[in-house]
Structure formats: C-alpha cells, structure tokens
Amino acid sequence: MMTRATGILRELVGFQSVVGMPNGGIVEWIADHLRSFGVTAHILPGPEGDRANLFATIGPADRPGYILSGHMDVVPAREAGWDGDPFLLRIEGDRLYGRGTTDMKGFLAAVLAAVPSFLARPLSSPIHLALSYDEEAGCRGVPHLIARLPDLCAPPLGAIIGEPSGMRAILAHKGKAAARVTLTGRSGHSSRPDLGLNAIHAMTEVQQAAVTAAIDLAQGPFETEFEPPYSSLSIGTIGGGQAVNIIPELCSLELETRAISSVDPEALLAPVREAAEALASKGFGVDWQVLSAYPALSLAPSSPLAGLLKDLTGIEPLAAVSYGTEAGLYQRAGVEAIICGPGDIARAHKPNEFILASELAACQSLIEALGRHCRRDA
Ligand SMILES: [Zn+2]
C-alpha cells in the first residue's frame, strides 16, 4: 500500500521542475493540494515572470512560528546511468527512485503529508511552508520570498531547511560565491601579435591572482568545524580561442569561493576582480558577472532552535556540512535557521537518485512532532 507521502512524492517527481525553467506546474499542483485542505497558498512570482515561490501558513500568521523550507527545483537528469525515467517514481522495495527524491522533493512530500495532522487541532504557533525555485542555481529564488516575509507573517522563531541530512540537525555550512570573467581583446593572424590583443595571454594575470588568493586562504583564518577548515577559492572552467594561428579575441574563466562563516564569500573574489579590471588599461574589454552567492550558516549550539531540533530528532546536532543551502540567507535576514531533512546528500545529483520510504516516514513523524510542539501551550 502506498503511503500518503509516497503518493505525493510520485506527483512531485512527475513535474520536470528543472532549475532555470518555468515552474508553474508544480506550484499550481501544491497550491491545489493545500487548497483541498482549506489552506491558502500565496504564489509569489519572481522577477523572471515564469516561475514562482510558494508560501502558506497553517495556524495564526500573526504569531511567531516555524518555517519549513524546501526548494521545488531539481537538477537536470541528463546524466547516463538511470535505469528508468527519472521523472517517473519507481518503487523497488523500500527504495523510491526518481530525480529529486532525495534533493529535495522527499522533504516536500513529507511536509505536505503532515498537513492534515497540523489541521487536526488548532496550532498556537503557526507552521509556514516556504517553497522556493532555482535553489540549484545558487539560491536565486528564495531571496524574493524572504523579502516578502514581513508582509506574510510575524517574525518567525526559526526556519528548518529540509536538505538531506539523514534527519540529523546541522548547524553550519560554508558560504559561496561564483563569478565569470570574460576578457575581450583583438583578433588577428598569429604571425602579427603586435597588431592584436591576446585574451588568453591576458587571462594568465587573472589566473595568477586567483591562485595566489587560493594559497593565501589556506593559511587561515580557520574554523575547525569545516573541511577544509579555511575558506577556499578555485577556478572551475577556462575557455577561449579558435585555432592555433589566430590571436584569441575572447577568453572566459569561472571561479568560486567557499567561505567560512566569519567571511563574506563575495569579498574573497575581490583580488581576482581587481586583476581582471586592471586589464582594461591595456585595452581589454572586461566583463565581471556574479553567477551566484549565498552566505554561510552558523547557528549557535545553545540556540533555542538547535535545542528544539535536538529534542525532536533525539540526537545531538552535527557541527557542519560541506554543501550549501538557503539557510544562510534566512539567517542573514534575521531568521534563525537549521538544516534537517531526510535522505543522504551523497545520493543527490546522481543517476538512480532514491529515498527510502522509511526515511520519508521518519521525516513526516518529526514534522508532526513539530506540529505537537506548536500547540504545546494551546
Ligand atoms: Zn537541495
């Protein structure tokens, strides 16, 4: 027999809500589903116009409550190795296969399956569902939702970000910023370098600045909960040129930083940006584009939210993880945030991504326990 959470997960997996694409289908389905329980969903379109965040409240919105946060987008499923259609939930024993089952439609399904229990008796503190788009593109959607929170609800007590953590609460992750630099020089025949401007040659100065910055960062400062315990910087791609006998007009490079919690990730890119912009004085066109950025998460182990999750999970929170989430953006907006969700992050972004039905059930139980906590003084 299929549980309520599994049935909802099957519906959610069926929407190809791939990052960077319109997401009206999944948003409408979730809004309709909530409406069938008498819960009103606010559909909050982003500036792109064709995709939206979704926010809904169960209980008194004018009182402080808890946000359950998840993203509706998934990474594409073009990688080889899938044994079936990634957008058709496939059940084999306890395993539920499909794109997004772990990251993170499983959490969304568990939350939606818990809604009837929230409604069974009045909540004294509300529970909010905050579902975002384009998280997989560097958390691009959720800032538009967070900006609307003051209109939507009283300042929340905390946000639980349901990224896969094996249902153990996580207090910290690094921040990240990614950027692309493009240099435009002047093309020509390679026999006359004196007449051209070689964009690949010029990019070596940007690379050198990046490598120097990366070496400096490894010297500290340190925060020992992270691996590695320092901020890092890495060039991920470089491209340019057409043929060996043509002076390359264009060269572009993409790099990212991962910052410990006391450091602003975008600030770490500054020396690289300066090196790029200095090339303008040599006649190059310089374009600097920030691709994505989100701050680190750092929640004190003594915070009430950490204490609540310790009680709900029955296990001490984990200090830190290496992947990033929307949690740092909530924290920066003044909302305490913690990560706790079903499944193993190691299964995410891979063929045959799956979640266990037992993991879904455990997540739903925890969320229902949060509901009981929210009516403790009713
Ligand atoms: Zn995710």
Side-chain angles (χ1 to χ4, degrees), residues 194-254:
D194 50 316
L195 299 179
L197 277 174
N198 189 313
I200 293 177
H201 286 197
M203 192 63 92
T204 57
E205 306 209 4
V206 180
Q207 278 180 265
Q208 191 53 57
V211 171
T212 301
I215 293 168
D216 287 349
L217 287 172
Q219 311 308 308
F222 300 102
E223 290 177 11
T224 51
E225 64 268 37
F226 295 113
E227 282 188 327
Y230 46 84
S231 300
S232 62
L233 184 152
S234 168
I235 298 172
T237 75
I238 185 164
Q242 297 155 272
V244 73
N245 60 354
I246 301 173
I247 297 166
E249 182 183 24
L250 283 177
C251 184
S252 70
L253 173 151
E254 292 174 327

Side-chain angles (χ1 to χ4, degrees), residues 71 73 102-104 135-136 162-164 323-325 345 348-349:
H71 60 84
D73 59 306
T102 280
D103 187 11
M104 57 183 291
E135 188 271 352
E136 297 286 5
E163 290 282 351
Y323 61 90
T325 76
I345 190 72
H349 303 201

Side-chain angles (χ1 to χ4, degrees), residues 7 44 119 134 146 198 200 239 269 298 316 322 342 358:
L44 309 169
L119 294 165
D134 287 0
I146 290 173
N198 189 313
I200 293 177
L269 295 171
S298 178
E316 203 68 48
S322 53
S358 53

Side-chain angles (χ1 to χ4, degrees), residues 51-345:
R51 61 203 76 173
N53 295 303
L54 184 151
F55 188 86
T57 295
I58 298 154
D62 58 343
R63 300 193 58 182
Y66 294 94
I67 291 176
L68 296 172
S69 157
H71 60 84
M72 297 177 284
D73 59 306
V74 295
V75 292
R78 290 190 296 264
E79 69 272 31
W82 280 93
D83 291 330
D85 181 346
F87 296 102
L88 197 64
L89 190 74
R90 186 161 52 87
I91 304 176
E92 282 180 22
D94 197 33
R95 288 187 177 200
L96 312 171
Y97 290 94
R99 171 54 81 227
T101 46
T102 280
D103 187 11
M104 57 183 291
K105 290 175 171 176
F107 176 75
L108 303 187
V111 168
L112 292 171
V115 164
S117 81
F118 298 158
L119 294 165
R121 285 195 296 123
L123 302 178
S124 48
S125 315
I127 291 178
H128 310 286
L129 277 47
L131 312 186
S132 66
Y133 67 89
D134 287 0
E135 188 271 352
E136 297 286 5
C139 303
R140 283 195 202 167
V142 78
H144 306 295
L145 187 158
I146 290 173
R148 295 286 309 278
L149 282 181
D151 314 328
L152 294 164
C153 61
L157 297 168
I160 299 170
I161 286 65
E163 290 282 351
S165 72
M167 294 314 295
R168 184 171 182 186
I170 292 166
L171 302 174
H173 64 64
K174 285 184 178 179
K176 176 186 167 182
R180 178 188 300 129
V181 56
T182 304
L183 300 180
T184 308
R186 191 167 53 247
S187 189
H189 196 281
S190 58
S191 64
R192 291 301 307 272
D194 50 316
L195 299 179
L197 277 174
N198 189 313
I200 293 177
H201 286 197
M203 192 63 92
T204 57
E205 306 209 4
V206 180
Q207 278 180 265
Q208 191 53 57
V211 171
T212 301
I215 293 168
D216 287 349
L217 287 172
Q219 311 308 308
F222 300 102
E223 290 177 11
T224 51
E225 64 268 37
F226 295 113
E227 282 188 327
Y230 46 84
S231 300
S232 62
L233 184 152
S234 168
I235 298 172
T237 75
I238 185 164
Q242 297 155 272
V244 73
N245 60 354
I246 301 173
I247 297 166
E249 182 183 24
L250 283 177
C251 184
S252 70
L253 173 151
E254 292 174 327
L255 74 164
E256 63 154 51
T257 60
R258 303 270 173 166
I260 57 176
S261 62
S262 56
V263 172
D264 170 14
E266 262 190 90
L268 296 179
L269 295 171
V272 184
R273 183 171 187 163
E274 280 163 27
E277 287 174 346
L279 291 163
S281 67
K282 297 182 179 174
F284 288 92
V286 179
D287 180 61
W288 178 271
Q289 193 189 351
V290 175
L291 301 173
S292 66
Y294 57 77
L297 169 70
S298 178
L299 182 68
S302 58
S303 69
L305 185 62
L308 172 62
L309 268 289
K310 186 189 164 194
D311 288 349
L312 291 175
T313 59
I315 182 169
E316 203 68 48
L318 191 65
V321 287
S322 53
Y323 61 90
T325 76
E326 296 173 336
L329 290 159
Y330 279 98
Q331 180 181 257
R332 189 167 68 184
V335 180
E336 301 257 276
I338 198 162
I339 303 162
C340 189
D344 181 345
I345 190 72

